[in-house]
Amino acid sequence: METQQFTLDDLKRILIEGAGAEETVDLDGDIFDEDFEHLGYESLALLETGGRIEREYGIVLDDDILSESNTPRALIDAVNAQLGSGSQAA
Amino acid sequence: MNAVVVTGLGVTAPNGLGVEDYWEATLAGKSGIGRITRFDPSQYPSRLAGEIPGFAAEEHLPSRLLPQTDRMTRLALVAADWALADAGIQPQDLPGFDMGVVTASSSGGFEFGQGELQALWSKGSQYVSAYQSFAWFYAVNSGQISIRHGMKGPSSVIVSDQAGGLDAVAQARRQIRKGTPVVVSGAVDASICPWGWVAQLAAKRLTTRDEPSRAYLPFDGAADGYVPGEGGALLVMESEESARSRDARIYGEVAGYAATFDPAPGGERPPALRRAIELALEDAGLAADQVDVVFADASADPELDRIEAEAITGVFGPEAVPVTAPKTMTGRLYSGAAPLDLATAFLAIRDGVIPPTVHVTPSPDHAIDLVVDRPREAELRTALILARGHGGFNSAAIVRAFA
């Protein structure tokens, strides 16, 4: 079975599609370990983002994953774990 | 006496974006009514609307707000921004609990809701946006304005169809009297999408004509229903004390208000619009002959026109006060209509001119002095604004110049 990789670029694209981007935040900077809150994405924006990831990648994310993944790195790792690759985001 | 005054106006209307654009168009008799362009209306019995052309939300609002807002909310957020700028208020400089938001809504964000319903039935529940939880909701304009500007004071929404626009302003006035210095109030409605359209058609009060200049003809013998529109106005309302402390420019005062409810069909009591006017005059402490102009609700339903004309002549006498319906250039904006009329009344008082009712040949059956075709110069201090909502709501507000 082919393993798919969920990357930071994928996450950024989905964040922007689903929730837009804060004008004062540079998503192209080093945001791996920035708090989602600092990036301008509150819980509802993450819920929307999680829903879009689930649809696109055909996976199911536990509600806990969304509420506990405070940073892009944590969410990317969680998604990749679901995708079966188990690989690190970076 | 601490009056409640208006210091800022923000307008999004089918015939003008922004206060001065709208006012210039309105005095020129420029109508924003035309065949619907936002969807193909050919299969529906009514095909005309007052659409706002050339509104590009991304030019005015951050991208974070776009995926979570209906067109109605985008228009409302921009109108609120403009009203605050007009008032010279920078919300970030004021204590959050000193500012509130009270808007009215008639239908909520129908276009957003339609998109999510389509996603639900065609693709499944996992395709419904998380933002559907509030983006369609009646209170969403109040909520989004409040969040955007950090306005943490009393906030609410009033739902009473077209009367709601005045009811919201009255609720804002109450909150200011209770101690909140600044309240953003008014309403913007917009539901010109297929779902919104069939909901409006259900009331069976829309004209089925196709010629824009022969379609919405209140107080005309040819009246056969109205044309709906989108848009409205938001107003910055303040206590006199707050406005004076900032040396603000004051458009005028919200001097009086009353609401009544019509009796059930077939009941013994008369229609209650006249009573609303009388109570609003009483609230303002004014006699009928002190009112200089009436902004009519102007439903263009022959029976409702008759009731309104009789209410006006009953209070003021036959042809005793100029009456106008500039909404003949925008269509009926539901909850947005009366706040736009309030804004228009303040501009009329400022410039000493009554904007016209367009395309209408007044029926001799109505003994009202309708200002038709072109603006009429007049010294204006006091205006009465009327609004009626489907199902029996009547509201009347009185604004006046503020010395």
Side-chain angles (χ1 to χ4, degrees):
Chain A
M1 190 181 125
E2 195 186 336
T3 52
Q4 220 175 344
Q5 185 81 5
F6 184 70
T7 67
L8 181 63
D9 281 342
D10 295 324
L11 176 61
K12 281 197 291 195
R13 173 177 53 78
I14 289 172
L15 279 170
I16 290 167
E17 281 170 9
E22 203 72 65
E23 279 161 338
T24 51
V25 171
D26 177 18
L27 287 182
D28 291 327
D30 182 11
I31 62 164
F32 259 118
D33 297 305
E34 288 274 350
D35 216 84
F36 276 120
E37 197 86 27
H38 291 155
L39 297 172
Y41 300 107
E42 77 299 333
S43 59
L44 200 62
L46 290 180
L47 190 65
E48 173 67 16
T49 300
R52 285 171 178 263
I53 293 170
E54 289 180 334
R55 270 143 49 183
E56 194 170 314
Y57 291 86
I59 57 173
V60 177
L61 297 171
D62 282 349
D63 287 350
D64 292 351
I65 291 178
L66 285 170
S67 55
E68 286 164 11
S69 304
N70 304 327
T71 63
R73 187 187 302 278
L75 182 57
I76 290 165
D77 284 349
V79 171
N80 280 322
Q82 287 290 311
L83 285 169
S85 72
S87 62
Q88 291 302 300
Chain B
M1 177 67 193
N2 204 355
V4 173
V5 299
V6 170
T7 54
L9 304 175
V11 167
T12 56
N15 63 343
L17 261 183
V19 167
E20 294 308 328
D21 193 26
Y22 161 75
W23 184 227
E24 194 181 311
T26 297
L27 290 180
K30 185 184 143 200
S31 171
I33 290 173
R35 185 178 168 91
I36 289 171
T37 64
R38 294 174 61 77
F39 60 92
D40 176 8
S42 45
Q43 63 175 306
Y44 301 98
S46 299
R47 292 162 296 273
L48 295 178
E51 294 177 314
I52 297 176
F55 175 74
E58 61 277 10
E59 289 173 10
H60 306 283
L61 297 171
S63 76
R64 274 294 275 113
L65 283 172
L66 299 181
Q68 54 177 297
T69 45
D70 182 75
R71 178 173 173 85
M72 156 196 97
T73 302
R74 296 171 179 180
L75 289 164
L77 284 166
V78 171
D81 286 358
W82 287 343
L84 287 163
D86 189 42
I89 287 183
Q90 265 129 21
Q92 68 272 21
D93 295 344
L94 295 178
F97 289 99
D98 283 359
M99 301 177 286
V101 187
V102 182
T103 64
S105 179
S106 169
S107 59
F110 263 45
E111 192 171 33
F112 194 102
Q114 179 182 329
E116 299 313 315
L117 282 173
Q118 283 172 326
L120 175 66
W121 84 60
S122 63
K123 297 188 207 162
S125 60
Q126 70 274 29
Y127 284 84
V128 177
S129 166
Y131 297 120
Q132 170 67 359
S133 56
F134 59 74
W136 71 274
F137 188 48
Y138 297 105
V140 69
N141 290 356
S142 285
Q144 289 283 18
I145 292 166
S146 153
I147 293 165
R148 181 163 165 81
H149 298 293
M151 297 175 161
K152 299 177 180 175
S155 292
S156 53
V157 63
I158 314 283
V159 180
S160 44
D161 191 35
Q162 186 132 330
L166 292 185
D167 300 337
V169 165
Q171 174 66 5
R173 183 170 168 241
R174 283 180 210 113
Q175 296 295 2
I176 290 167
R177 284 176 167 172
K178 282 199 242 167
T180 304
V182 177
V183 179
V184 172
S185 189
V188 172
D189 253 322
S191 53
I192 301 176
C193 63
W195 185 26
W197 199 242
V198 293
Q200 294 172 41
L201 288 168
K204 298 196 190 308
R205 285 187 181 164
L206 275 57
T207 182
T208 53
R209 293 197 182 127
D210 279 316
E211 176 59 45
S213 64
R214 297 295 301 154
Y216 175 30
L217 304 171
F219 306 113
D220 190 311
D224 79 331
Y226 65 85
V227 172
E230 62 180 0
L234 289 173
L235 294 74
V236 174
M237 296 171 59
E238 282 183 75
S239 66
E240 178 186 353
E241 189 184 7
S242 166
R244 291 227 193 267
S245 74
R246 330 186 275 116
D247 233 350
R249 177 268 328 273
I250 293 173
Y251 282 106
E253 175 192 4
V254 179
Y257 162 81
T260 59
F261 203 72
D262 281 332
E268 300 277 298
R269 287 190 295 128
L273 180 61
R274 176 177 175 168
R275 189 75 187 126
I277 299 172
E278 290 166 346
L279 290 168
L281 284 167
E282 205 176 298
D283 183 42
L286 290 171
D289 63 5
Q290 290 174 284
V291 171
D292 300 314
V293 60
V294 176
F295 286 75
D297 174 65
S299 75
D301 169 275
E303 174 68 3
L304 290 170
D305 281 355
R306 181 186 63 76
I307 290 168
E308 183 165 34
E310 285 179 0
I312 293 168
T313 55
V315 174
F316 299 98
E319 303 194 20
V321 61
V323 177
T324 188
K327 59 170 67 77
T328 45
M329 291 174 256
T330 63
R332 285 172 71 80
L333 307 183
Y334 299 100
S335 68
L340 184 59
D341 277 342
L342 280 171
T344 310
F346 284 122
L347 298 167
I349 288 169
R350 180 190 74 182
D351 292 352
V353 60
I354 301 169
T357 306
V358 300
H359 305 314
V360 168
T361 305
S363 161
D365 295 347
H366 307 306
I368 55 172
D369 171 19
L370 199 64
V371 177
V372 292
D373 299 331
R374 63 189 63 82
R376 183 191 296 178
E377 288 187 18
E379 203 174 310
L380 304 174
R381 282 193 55 79
T382 305
L384 168 70
I385 293 92
L386 300 178
R388 289 176 290 183
H390 190 67
F393 299 98
N394 302 290
S395 292
I398 292 168
V399 301
R400 72 175 158 214
F402 197 71

